[in-house]
């Protein structure tokens, strides 16, 4: 039985592995997504015992939340942890907006799309340049007191911005890029969060598929795919990562597991990480990723993987 993880100091508890849903309805991020497959991905995750779904307004400009809302009706809402985010303001051409009015409206509109009356975790998706951080968080604190959200998060904030936003100690969770191949957060950010009892959720845990071991040589993506512009997928950088991933295959074989499972198990054992949220384009990928919950890396193998990257 998987041990649940507490989010910050809140009453929200999640399985240590959730589902990232930017490919569920995220038509603006990936080409050729199918909404029925998206819903099946969510269903598969929930049927496999995963409890946390990570979505955002920006994934399809509300479409991801709508699809999740439709699937939610098939399940016991009280057992599911919904995390969503907002900051992109359609009235300003998608520019970031953190004003209390915008965040309050965003929460109310997300509740409608999700067809629910509370959001377990609500993140400010990106910082804007003008709203004082304490005013933005105060607006979320009010929504928390009203029971519309249960935990307050920020995403893509620098450490200085997090500290500014956390003056009253009201931040429960932070989501930022962190993976085996992007470890900068270990220097200062992650120790600060741990000390403040703020939970951490890394995004791009599989480096958008690069850490699954399925790429052997150069790969190209259509321009509409966000990976077409990522430095990790280009030239020498790509080759260096592929070389390290090939060494992971040996460790994976010892566990009779896939590389994705081993990589996800590394996050589950990582003391800085609360919940790991791999995304998926197919239900089969979810089924594979969930198996990571049953991979228990030895301390020695955890360190081996640590040192490899
Ligand atoms: P990721 O988790 O690093 O990679 C997911 C991708 O890898 C899948 O879409 C799939 O793509 C491939 N994959 C997944 N499982 C696999 C398996 N078992 N075998 C082979 N391939 C597999 O990247 P991500 O989904 O972009 O990021 C995770 C989540 O973080 C997102 O879904 C989103 O919820 C969140 N996120 C948040 C922010 C933020 O600003 N807060 C930013 C980015 C992401 P292919 O099949 O196409 O290879």
């Amino acid at each position: 039985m998987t041990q649940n993880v507490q989010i910050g100091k809140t009453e929200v508890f999640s399985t240590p592995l959730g589902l990232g849903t930017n490919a569920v309805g995220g038509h603006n991020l990936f080409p050729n997504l199918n909404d029925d497959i998206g819903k099946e991905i969510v269903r598969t995750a929930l049927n496999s015992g995963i409890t946390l779904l990570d979505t955002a307004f920006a994934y399809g400009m509300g479409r991801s939340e709508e699809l999740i809302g439709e699937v939610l009706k098939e399940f016991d809402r009280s057992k599911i942890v919904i995390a969503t985010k907002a900051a992109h303001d359609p009235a300003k051409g998608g520019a970031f907006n953190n004003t209390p009015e915008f965040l309050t409206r965003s929460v109310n509109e997300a509740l409608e799309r999700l067809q629910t009356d509370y959001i377990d975790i609500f993140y400010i998706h990106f910082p804007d340049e003008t709203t004082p951080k304490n005013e933005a968080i105060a607006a979320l604190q009010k929504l928390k007191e009203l029971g519309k959200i249960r935990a307050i998060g920020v995403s893509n904030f620098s450490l200085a911005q997090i500290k500014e936003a956390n003056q009253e100690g009201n931040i429960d969770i932070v989501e930022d890029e962190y993976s085996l191949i992007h470890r900068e957060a270990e220097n200062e950010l992650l120790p600060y969060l741990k000390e403040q009892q703020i939970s951490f959720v890394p995004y791009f845990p599989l480096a958008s598929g690069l850490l699954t071991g399925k790429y052997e040589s150069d790969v190209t993506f259509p321009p509409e795919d966000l990976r077409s512009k990522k430095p990790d997928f280009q030239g020498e950088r790509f080759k260096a990562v592929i070389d390290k991933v090939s060494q992971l295959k040996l460790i994976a074989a010892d566990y009779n597991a896939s590389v994705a499972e081993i990589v996800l198990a590394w996050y589950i054992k990582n003391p800085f990480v609360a919940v790991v949220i791999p995304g998926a384009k197919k239900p089969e990928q979810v089924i594979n990723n969930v198996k990571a919950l049953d991979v228990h890396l030895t301390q020695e193998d955890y360190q081996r993987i640590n040192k490899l990257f």
Side-chain angles (χ1 to χ4, degrees), residues 124-192:
I124 301 178
H125 202 160
F126 284 86
D128 76 7
E129 285 179 6
T130 48
T131 311
K133 304 280 173 270
N134 56 337
E135 286 180 21
I137 298 300
L140 295 186
Q141 183 63 24
K142 223 182 235 171
L143 291 163
K144 196 177 181 184
E145 283 156 18
L146 288 172
K148 292 193 177 193
I149 67 176
R150 298 177 68 212
I152 296 174
V154 295
S155 183
N156 301 298
F157 276 44
S158 68
L159 179 56
Q161 289 170 327
I162 292 172
K163 285 183 177 170
E164 199 187 325
N166 196 40
Q167 281 167 48
E168 311 284 328
N170 285 336
I171 295 186
D172 302 307
I173 186 162
V174 164
E175 183 169 310
D176 249 314
E177 181 166 10
Y178 172 69
S179 69
L180 273 172
I181 60 170
H182 288 282
R183 311 281 289 271
E184 300 81 358
E186 286 173 5
N187 299 332
E188 285 188 289
L189 178 71
L190 297 182
Y192 169 80

Side-chain angles (χ1 to χ4, degrees), residues 17 178-182 202-215 227 230 232-233 241 245 258-265 267 276-280 285 288-289 292:
L17 191 125
Y178 172 69
S179 69
L180 273 172
I181 60 170
H182 288 282
Y203 70 68
F204 294 147
L206 295 173
S208 305
L210 198 46
L211 290 174
T212 62
K214 67 181 171 184
Y215 298 117
R227 288 172 289 195
K230 288 190 117 187
D232 289 339
F233 283 88
V241 175
V245 172
S258 68
V259 172
E261 284 170 61
I262 291 294
V263 167
L264 294 171
Y267 296 100
V276 60
I277 50 162
Q285 292 174 339
N288 183 222
N289 296 342

